[in-house]
């Protein structure tokens, strides 16, 4: 069971597209969370993705360089963006359901350079005064580190290629695409490890 593989934690891949690099001052513009599931034989696989475009919070900074990088126009009428607190609550709901369904204690964020996404997530949770954050506040799994260990590659696209996973550079820097590809990379690395070393006897302790 997945709760035994990760000591009661449920891995959830998160990718956040932002209006800058400062979690305290810069806007969240899009967030995607991809669940990770486990087959009966212990194999991990990518699950469903929950996502929202997000309205910048009042007074949020928007760096033109960041907008150029991720290609997001915050004022585009077809973004269908919703307020930050609403976006978080809607994304947290299925994560909490999955935590209960798997018998896990809470979620742990998986991300590529996970400190970045976790920092923005924590800042948004504090701004929105959300008391029941399903994610651990500081623990995370970083696929940049894991990919560096497994493949000698720390760039997401290169780690994906080394793992033999399909990658379309034209889709990159969309929160949905990056979250789903990061989930595939995470599952690939964990599955390779378990296939080579066996399921750890100490899991679940």
């Amino acid at each position: 069971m997945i709760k035994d593989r990760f000591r009661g934690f449920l891995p959830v891949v998160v990718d956040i597209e932002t209006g800058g690099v400062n979690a305290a001052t810069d806007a969240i513009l899009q967030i995607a969370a991809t669940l990770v599931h486990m087959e009966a034989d212990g194999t991990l696989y990518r699950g469903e993705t929950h996502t929202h475009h997000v309205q910048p919070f009042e007074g949020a900074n928007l760096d033109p360089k960041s907008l150029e990088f991720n290609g997001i126009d915050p004022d585009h009428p077809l973004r269908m963006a919703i307020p930050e607190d609403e976006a978080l609550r809607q994304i947290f709901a299925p994560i909490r359901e999955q935590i209960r369904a798997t018998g896990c204690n809470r979620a742990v964020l998986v991300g590529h350079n996970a400190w970045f996404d976790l920092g923005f997530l924590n800042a948004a949770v504090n701004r929105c005064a959300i008391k029941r954050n399903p994610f651990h506040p500081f623990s995370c799994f970083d696929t940049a580190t894991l990919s560096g260990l497994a493949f000698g590659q720390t760039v997401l696209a290169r780690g994906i290629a080394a793992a033999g996973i399909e990658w379309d550079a034209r889709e990159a820097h969309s929160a949905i695409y990056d979250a789903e590809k990061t989930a595939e990379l995470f599952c690939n690395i964990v599955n390779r490890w378990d296939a080579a070393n066996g399921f750890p006897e100490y899991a679940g302790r």
Side-chain angles (χ1 to χ4, degrees):
M1 299 176 68
I2 199 165
K3 71 180 181 67
D4 298 320
R5 180 61 180 85
F6 300 105
R7 203 174 60 81
F9 290 115
L10 175 71
V12 178
V13 182
V14 174
D15 189 84
I16 298 177
E17 299 298 328
T18 70
V21 297
N22 187 327
T25 61
D26 300 343
I28 290 177
L29 299 175
Q30 186 185 20
I31 180 170
T34 300
L35 299 178
V36 172
H37 298 309
M38 178 179 277
E39 300 278 13
D41 65 358
T43 302
L44 297 184
Y45 65 96
R46 187 190 88 193
E48 62 274 21
T49 298
H50 303 274
T51 185
H52 279 294
H53 286 278
V54 182
Q55 297 172 0
F57 63 89
E58 186 175 355
N61 180 61
L62 294 168
D63 185 340
K65 292 182 179 179
S66 292
L67 300 182
E68 181 181 358
F69 179 76
N70 57 38
I72 295 176
D73 176 1
D75 299 319
H76 197 288
L78 298 181
R79 277 215 316 138
M80 306 296 289
I82 62 176
E84 188 175 64
D85 61 341
E86 186 178 341
L88 290 182
R89 294 177 196 280
Q90 289 189 22
I91 284 178
F92 285 173
I95 294 172
R96 292 194 183 102
E97 290 178 6
Q98 191 67 11
I99 290 171
R100 290 192 294 270
T102 57
C104 290
N105 299 319
R106 69 190 313 174
V108 60
L109 186 146
V110 181
H112 204 78
N113 297 311
W115 62 271
F116 180 87
D117 301 283
L118 185 58
F120 270 87
L121 185 68
N122 284 339
V125 165
N126 290 335
R127 275 193 302 272
C128 299
I130 295 176
K131 296 180 179 179
R132 293 181 58 243
N133 181 358
F135 285 92
H136 195 285
F138 57 83
S139 292
C140 57
F141 292 128
D142 181 13
T143 53
T145 302
L146 293 173
S147 182
L149 173 65
F151 305 118
Q153 299 290 348
T154 58
V155 175
L156 179 58
R158 293 181 179 180
I160 290 287
I165 299 168
E166 183 180 351
W167 174 261
D168 185 346
R170 295 170 298 181
E171 298 290 334
H173 308 308
S174 157
I176 298 173
Y177 190 78
D178 286 1
E180 291 182 344
K181 288 302 177 180
T182 299
E184 292 179 26
L185 179 60
F186 176 74
C187 293
N188 183 289
I189 293 171
V190 175
N191 290 339
R192 284 173 184 257
W193 174 271
D194 287 352
N197 298 282
F199 191 80
E201 295 180 359
Y202 51 81
R205 295 182 185 176

PDB file of all heavy atoms in Angstrom, residues 101-128:
ATOM      1  N   ALA A 101      -8.739   7.803   1.691  1.00  0.00           N
ATOM      2  CA  ALA A 101      -8.948   6.542   0.974  1.00  0.00           C
ATOM      3  C   ALA A 101      -7.750   5.604   1.087  1.00  0.00           C
ATOM      4  O   ALA A 101      -7.914   4.381   1.082  1.00  0.00           O
ATOM      5  CB  ALA A 101      -9.258   6.817  -0.493  1.00  0.00           C
ATOM      6  N   THR A 102      -6.562   6.162   1.171  1.00  0.00           N
ATOM      7  CA  THR A 102      -5.341   5.349   1.228  1.00  0.00           C
ATOM      8  C   THR A 102      -4.864   5.089   2.651  1.00  0.00           C
ATOM      9  O   THR A 102      -3.888   4.355   2.843  1.00  0.00           O
ATOM     10  CB  THR A 102      -4.209   6.036   0.439  1.00  0.00           C
ATOM     11  OG1 THR A 102      -4.003   7.356   0.972  1.00  0.00           O
ATOM     12  CG2 THR A 102      -4.545   6.120  -1.041  1.00  0.00           C
ATOM     13  N   GLY A 103      -5.499   5.706   3.628  1.00  0.00           N
ATOM     14  CA  GLY A 103      -5.066   5.536   5.011  1.00  0.00           C
ATOM     15  C   GLY A 103      -3.812   6.304   5.353  1.00  0.00           C
ATOM     16  O   GLY A 103      -3.169   6.026   6.373  1.00  0.00           O
ATOM     17  N   CYS A 104      -3.461   7.276   4.508  1.00  0.00           N
ATOM     18  CA  CYS A 104      -2.272   8.092   4.786  1.00  0.00           C
ATOM     19  C   CYS A 104      -2.592   9.142   5.856  1.00  0.00           C
ATOM     20  O   CYS A 104      -3.759   9.408   6.175  1.00  0.00           O
ATOM     21  CB  CYS A 104      -1.787   8.774   3.511  1.00  0.00           C
ATOM     22  SG  CYS A 104      -1.075   7.625   2.295  1.00  0.00           S
ATOM     23  N   ASN A 105      -1.545   9.737   6.401  1.00  0.00           N
ATOM     24  CA  ASN A 105      -1.709  10.770   7.419  1.00  0.00           C
ATOM     25  C   ASN A 105      -1.826  12.161   6.808  1.00  0.00           C
ATOM     26  O   ASN A 105      -2.604  12.985   7.276  1.00  0.00           O
ATOM     27  CB  ASN A 105      -0.530  10.739   8.400  1.00  0.00           C
ATOM     28  CG  ASN A 105      -0.433   9.407   9.125  1.00  0.00           C
ATOM     29  OD1 ASN A 105      -1.442   8.841   9.530  1.00  0.00           O
ATOM     30  ND2 ASN A 105       0.779   8.891   9.249  1.00  0.00           N
ATOM     31  N   ARG A 106      -1.028  12.416   5.776  1.00  0.00           N
ATOM     32  CA  ARG A 106      -1.108  13.696   5.078  1.00  0.00           C
ATOM     33  C   ARG A 106      -0.348  13.585   3.769  1.00  0.00           C
ATOM     34  O   ARG A 106       0.332  12.580   3.512  1.00  0.00           O
ATOM     35  CB  ARG A 106      -0.558  14.842   5.940  1.00  0.00           C
ATOM     36  CG  ARG A 106       0.922  14.844   6.189  1.00  0.00           C
ATOM     37  CD  ARG A 106       1.291  15.888   7.241  1.00  0.00           C
ATOM     38  NE  ARG A 106       0.662  17.197   6.998  1.00  0.00           N
ATOM     39  CZ  ARG A 106       0.757  18.220   7.856  1.00  0.00           C
ATOM     40  NH1 ARG A 106       1.438  18.095   8.985  1.00  0.00           N
ATOM     41  NH2 ARG A 106       0.183  19.381   7.580  1.00  0.00           N
ATOM     42  N   ALA A 107      -0.456  14.608   2.936  1.00  0.00           N
ATOM     43  CA  ALA A 107       0.235  14.610   1.648  1.00  0.00           C
ATOM     44  C   ALA A 107       1.643  15.163   1.808  1.00  0.00           C
ATOM     45  O   ALA A 107       1.928  15.941   2.724  1.00  0.00           O
ATOM     46  CB  ALA A 107      -0.537  15.459   0.645  1.00  0.00           C
ATOM     47  N   VAL A 108       2.516  14.744   0.906  1.00  0.00           N
ATOM     48  CA  VAL A 108       3.848  15.325   0.823  1.00  0.00           C
ATOM     49  C   VAL A 108       4.032  15.808  -0.612  1.00  0.00           C
ATOM     50  O   VAL A 108       3.728  15.093  -1.569  1.00  0.00           O
ATOM     51  CB  VAL A 108       4.949  14.317   1.223  1.00  0.00           C
ATOM     52  CG1 VAL A 108       4.947  13.088   0.336  1.00  0.00           C
ATOM     53  CG2 VAL A 108       6.319  14.985   1.244  1.00  0.00           C
ATOM     54  N   LEU A 109       4.480  17.047  -0.754  1.00  0.00           N
ATOM     55  CA  LEU A 109       4.609  17.654  -2.080  1.00  0.00           C
ATOM     56  C   LEU A 109       5.779  17.054  -2.833  1.00  0.00           C
ATOM     57  O   LEU A 109       6.879  16.926  -2.295  1.00  0.00           O
ATOM     58  CB  LEU A 109       4.771  19.165  -1.942  1.00  0.00           C
ATOM     59  CG  LEU A 109       4.784  19.987  -3.247  1.00  0.00           C
ATOM     60  CD1 LEU A 109       4.125  21.351  -3.019  1.00  0.00           C
ATOM     61  CD2 LEU A 109       6.197  20.179  -3.780  1.00  0.00           C
ATOM     62  N   VAL A 110       5.515  16.680  -4.076  1.00  0.00           N
ATOM     63  CA  VAL A 110       6.551  16.258  -5.018  1.00  0.00           C
ATOM     64  C   VAL A 110       6.654  17.349  -6.074  1.00  0.00           C
ATOM     65  O   VAL A 110       5.636  17.793  -6.614  1.00  0.00           O
ATOM     66  CB  VAL A 110       6.197  14.914  -5.687  1.00  0.00           C
ATOM     67  CG1 VAL A 110       7.306  14.494  -6.646  1.00  0.00           C
ATOM     68  CG2 VAL A 110       5.930  13.838  -4.645  1.00  0.00           C
ATOM     69  N   GLY A 111       7.862  17.789  -6.367  1.00  0.00           N
ATOM     70  CA  GLY A 111       8.024  18.817  -7.380  1.00  0.00           C
ATOM     71  C   GLY A 111       9.427  18.817  -7.936  1.00  0.00           C
ATOM     72  O   GLY A 111      10.341  18.226  -7.356  1.00  0.00           O
ATOM     73  N   HIS A 112       9.591  19.469  -9.073  1.00  0.00           N
ATOM     74  CA  HIS A 112      10.920  19.623  -9.651  1.00  0.00           C
ATOM     75  C   HIS A 112      11.462  20.956  -9.156  1.00  0.00           C
ATOM     76  O   HIS A 112      10.938  22.009  -9.506  1.00  0.00           O
ATOM     77  CB  HIS A 112      10.874  19.569 -11.179  1.00  0.00           C
ATOM     78  CG  HIS A 112      12.176  19.164 -11.779  1.00  0.00           C
ATOM     79  ND1 HIS A 112      12.609  17.857 -11.812  1.00  0.00           N
ATOM     80  CD2 HIS A 112      13.174  19.902 -12.334  1.00  0.00           C
ATOM     81  CE1 HIS A 112      13.790  17.801 -12.380  1.00  0.00           C
ATOM     82  NE2 HIS A 112      14.159  19.027 -12.700  1.00  0.00           N
ATOM     83  N   ASN A 113      12.511  20.894  -8.322  1.00  0.00           N
ATOM     84  CA  ASN A 113      12.902  22.027  -7.473  1.00  0.00           C
ATOM     85  C   ASN A 113      11.735  22.342  -6.537  1.00  0.00           C
ATOM     86  O   ASN A 113      11.159  23.436  -6.546  1.00  0.00           O
ATOM     87  CB  ASN A 113      13.322  23.245  -8.302  1.00  0.00           C
ATOM     88  CG  ASN A 113      14.543  22.961  -9.153  1.00  0.00           C
ATOM     89  OD1 ASN A 113      15.554  22.442  -8.665  1.00  0.00           O
ATOM     90  ND2 ASN A 113      14.452  23.267 -10.437  1.00  0.00           N
ATOM     91  N   ALA A 114      11.400  21.347  -5.730  1.00  0.00           N
ATOM     92  CA  ALA A 114      10.175  21.354  -4.938  1.00  0.00           C
ATOM     93  C   ALA A 114      10.113  22.497  -3.938  1.00  0.00           C
ATOM     94  O   ALA A 114       9.022  22.944  -3.569  1.00  0.00           O
ATOM     95  CB  ALA A 114      10.030  20.016  -4.203  1.00  0.00           C
ATOM     96  N   TRP A 115      11.265  22.990  -3.490  1.00  0.00           N
ATOM     97  CA  TRP A 115      11.268  24.095  -2.527  1.00  0.00           C
ATOM     98  C   TRP A 115      10.513  25.301  -3.071  1.00  0.00           C
ATOM     99  O   TRP A 115       9.866  26.041  -2.321  1.00  0.00           O
ATOM    100  CB  TRP A 115      12.718  24.503  -2.197  1.00  0.00           C
ATOM    101  CG  TRP A 115      13.481  24.999  -3.392  1.00  0.00           C
ATOM    102  CD1 TRP A 115      14.215  24.250  -4.270  1.00  0.00           C
ATOM    103  CD2 TRP A 115      13.532  26.346  -3.880  1.00  0.00           C
ATOM    104  NE1 TRP A 115      14.723  25.046  -5.268  1.00  0.00           N
ATOM    105  CE2 TRP A 115      14.329  26.334  -5.054  1.00  0.00           C
ATOM    106  CE3 TRP A 115      12.994  27.554  -3.444  1.00  0.00           C
ATOM    107  CZ2 TRP A 115      14.593  27.493  -5.790  1.00  0.00           C
ATOM    108  CZ3 TRP A 115      13.256  28.707  -4.174  1.00  0.00           C
ATOM    109  CH2 TRP A 115      14.051  28.679  -5.328  1.00  0.00           C
ATOM    110  N   PHE A 116      10.583  25.510  -4.396  1.00  0.00           N
ATOM    111  CA  PHE A 116       9.933  26.663  -5.016  1.00  0.00           C
ATOM    112  C   PHE A 116       8.412  26.542  -4.882  1.00  0.00           C
ATOM    113  O   PHE A 116       7.735  27.471  -4.402  1.00  0.00           O
ATOM    114  CB  PHE A 116      10.335  26.747  -6.490  1.00  0.00           C
ATOM    115  CG  PHE A 116       9.732  27.908  -7.235  1.00  0.00           C
ATOM    116  CD1 PHE A 116      10.352  29.141  -7.250  1.00  0.00           C
ATOM    117  CD2 PHE A 116       8.529  27.761  -7.921  1.00  0.00           C
ATOM    118  CE1 PHE A 116       9.811  30.221  -7.935  1.00  0.00           C
ATOM    119  CE2 PHE A 116       7.966  28.834  -8.610  1.00  0.00           C
ATOM    120  CZ  PHE A 116       8.607  30.070  -8.607  1.00  0.00           C
ATOM    121  N   ASP A 117       7.867  25.406  -5.299  1.00  0.00           N
ATOM    122  CA  ASP A 117       6.421  25.213  -5.260  1.00  0.00           C
ATOM    123  C   ASP A 117       5.912  25.155  -3.821  1.00  0.00           C
ATOM    124  O   ASP A 117       4.848  25.704  -3.516  1.00  0.00           O
ATOM    125  CB  ASP A 117       6.048  23.940  -6.017  1.00  0.00           C
ATOM    126  CG  ASP A 117       6.504  23.989  -7.466  1.00  0.00           C
ATOM    127  OD1 ASP A 117       5.861  24.660  -8.280  1.00  0.00           O
ATOM    128  OD2 ASP A 117       7.540  23.362  -7.779  1.00  0.00           O
ATOM    129  N   LEU A 118       6.660  24.504  -2.942  1.00  0.00           N
ATOM    130  CA  LEU A 118       6.237  24.417  -1.550  1.00  0.00           C
ATOM    131  C   LEU A 118       6.229  25.795  -0.897  1.00  0.00           C
ATOM    132  O   LEU A 118       5.327  26.111  -0.114  1.00  0.00           O
ATOM    133  CB  LEU A 118       7.155  23.467  -0.780  1.00  0.00           C
ATOM    134  CG  LEU A 118       6.759  23.179   0.669  1.00  0.00           C
ATOM    135  CD1 LEU A 118       5.354  22.583   0.749  1.00  0.00           C
ATOM    136  CD2 LEU A 118       7.772  22.239   1.325  1.00  0.00           C
ATOM    137  N   GLY A 119       7.204  26.627  -1.219  1.00  0.00           N
ATOM    138  CA  GLY A 119       7.247  27.976  -0.670  1.00  0.00           C
ATOM    139  C   GLY A 119       6.048  28.794  -1.098  1.00  0.00           C
ATOM    140  O   GLY A 119       5.426  29.492  -0.281  1.00  0.00           O
ATOM    141  N   PHE A 120       5.688  28.729  -2.383  1.00  0.00           N
ATOM    142  CA  PHE A 120       4.518  29.460  -2.863  1.00  0.00           C
ATOM    143  C   PHE A 120       3.234  28.888  -2.279  1.00  0.00           C
ATOM    144  O   PHE A 120       2.305  29.641  -1.940  1.00  0.00           O
ATOM    145  CB  PHE A 120       4.471  29.451  -4.394  1.00  0.00           C
ATOM    146  CG  PHE A 120       5.195  30.600  -5.016  1.00  0.00           C
ATOM    147  CD1 PHE A 120       6.553  30.525  -5.292  1.00  0.00           C
ATOM    148  CD2 PHE A 120       4.530  31.788  -5.315  1.00  0.00           C
ATOM    149  CE1 PHE A 120       7.235  31.598  -5.860  1.00  0.00           C
ATOM    150  CE2 PHE A 120       5.190  32.864  -5.886  1.00  0.00           C
ATOM    151  CZ  PHE A 120       6.552  32.778  -6.153  1.00  0.00           C
ATOM    152  N   LEU A 121       3.159  27.570  -2.162  1.00  0.00           N
ATOM    153  CA  LEU A 121       1.963  26.953  -1.602  1.00  0.00           C
ATOM    154  C   LEU A 121       1.767  27.375  -0.149  1.00  0.00           C
ATOM    155  O   LEU A 121       0.662  27.759   0.258  1.00  0.00           O
ATOM    156  CB  LEU A 121       2.072  25.429  -1.702  1.00  0.00           C
ATOM    157  CG  LEU A 121       0.843  24.642  -1.258  1.00  0.00           C
ATOM    158  CD1 LEU A 121      -0.315  24.866  -2.218  1.00  0.00           C
ATOM    159  CD2 LEU A 121       1.155  23.157  -1.153  1.00  0.00           C
ATOM    160  N   ASN A 122       2.826  27.321   0.643  1.00  0.00           N
ATOM    161  CA  ASN A 122       2.735  27.705   2.049  1.00  0.00           C
ATOM    162  C   ASN A 122       2.364  29.179   2.202  1.00  0.00           C
ATOM    163  O   ASN A 122       1.568  29.545   3.076  1.00  0.00           O
ATOM    164  CB  ASN A 122       4.046  27.419   2.769  1.00  0.00           C
ATOM    165  CG  ASN A 122       4.253  25.945   3.066  1.00  0.00           C
ATOM    166  OD1 ASN A 122       3.285  25.172   3.102  1.00  0.00           O
ATOM    167  ND2 ASN A 122       5.487  25.538   3.270  1.00  0.00           N
ATOM    168  N   ALA A 123       2.935  30.041   1.361  1.00  0.00           N
ATOM    169  CA  ALA A 123       2.617  31.461   1.433  1.00  0.00           C
ATOM    170  C   ALA A 123       1.141  31.698   1.127  1.00  0.00           C
ATOM    171  O   ALA A 123       0.474  32.508   1.786  1.00  0.00           O
ATOM    172  CB  ALA A 123       3.499  32.251   0.466  1.00  0.00           C
ATOM    173  N   ALA A 124       0.609  30.991   0.122  1.00  0.00           N
ATOM    174  CA  ALA A 124      -0.799  31.146  -0.238  1.00  0.00           C
ATOM    175  C   ALA A 124      -1.709  30.614   0.867  1.00  0.00           C
ATOM    176  O   ALA A 124      -2.745  31.218   1.174  1.00  0.00           O
ATOM    177  CB  ALA A 124      -1.086  30.426  -1.551  1.00  0.00           C
ATOM    178  N   VAL A 125      -1.348  29.499   1.463  1.00  0.00           N
ATOM    179  CA  VAL A 125      -2.129  28.949   2.573  1.00  0.00           C
ATOM    180  C   VAL A 125      -2.207  29.947   3.718  1.00  0.00           C
ATOM    181  O   VAL A 125      -3.271  30.155   4.316  1.00  0.00           O
ATOM    182  CB  VAL A 125      -1.528  27.608   3.039  1.00  0.00           C
ATOM    183  CG1 VAL A 125      -2.090  27.199   4.403  1.00  0.00           C
ATOM    184  CG2 VAL A 125      -1.791  26.515   2.018  1.00  0.00           C
ATOM    185  N   ASN A 126      -1.105  30.595   4.019  1.00  0.00           N
ATOM    186  CA  ASN A 126      -1.085  31.599   5.089  1.00  0.00           C
ATOM    187  C   ASN A 126      -1.934  32.818   4.721  1.00  0.00           C
ATOM    188  O   ASN A 126      -2.682  33.334   5.565  1.00  0.00           O
ATOM    189  CB  ASN A 126       0.343  32.020   5.392  1.00  0.00           C
ATOM    190  CG  ASN A 126       1.150  30.927   6.061  1.00  0.00           C
ATOM    191  OD1 ASN A 126       0.584  30.042   6.705  1.00  0.00           O
ATOM    192  ND2 ASN A 126       2.463  30.962   5.899  1.00  0.00           N
ATOM    193  N   ARG A 127      -1.809  33.288   3.476  1.00  0.00           N
ATOM    194  CA  ARG A 127      -2.612  34.435   3.049  1.00  0.00           C
ATOM    195  C   ARG A 127      -4.105  34.153   3.155  1.00  0.00           C
ATOM    196  O   ARG A 127      -4.900  35.026   3.523  1.00  0.00           O
ATOM    197  CB  ARG A 127      -2.282  34.808   1.592  1.00  0.00           C
ATOM    198  CG  ARG A 127      -1.103  35.717   1.401  1.00  0.00           C
ATOM    199  CD  ARG A 127      -1.073  36.274  -0.010  1.00  0.00           C
ATOM    200  NE  ARG A 127      -1.014  35.257  -1.040  1.00  0.00           N
ATOM    201  CZ  ARG A 127       0.111  34.730  -1.517  1.00  0.00           C
ATOM    202  NH1 ARG A 127       1.281  35.154  -1.067  1.00  0.00           N
ATOM    203  NH2 ARG A 127       0.080  33.801  -2.463  1.00  0.00           N
ATOM    204  N   CYS A 128      -4.480  32.929   2.800  1.00  0.00           N
ATOM    205  CA  CYS A 128      -5.894  32.564   2.759  1.00  0.00           C
ATOM    206  C   CYS A 128      -6.411  32.020   4.095  1.00  0.00           C
ATOM    207  O   CYS A 128      -7.593  31.658   4.196  1.00  0.00           O
ATOM    208  CB  CYS A 128      -6.124  31.527   1.659  1.00  0.00           C
ATOM    209  SG  CYS A 128      -5.700  32.114   0.000  1.00  0.00           S
TER     210      CYS A 128
END
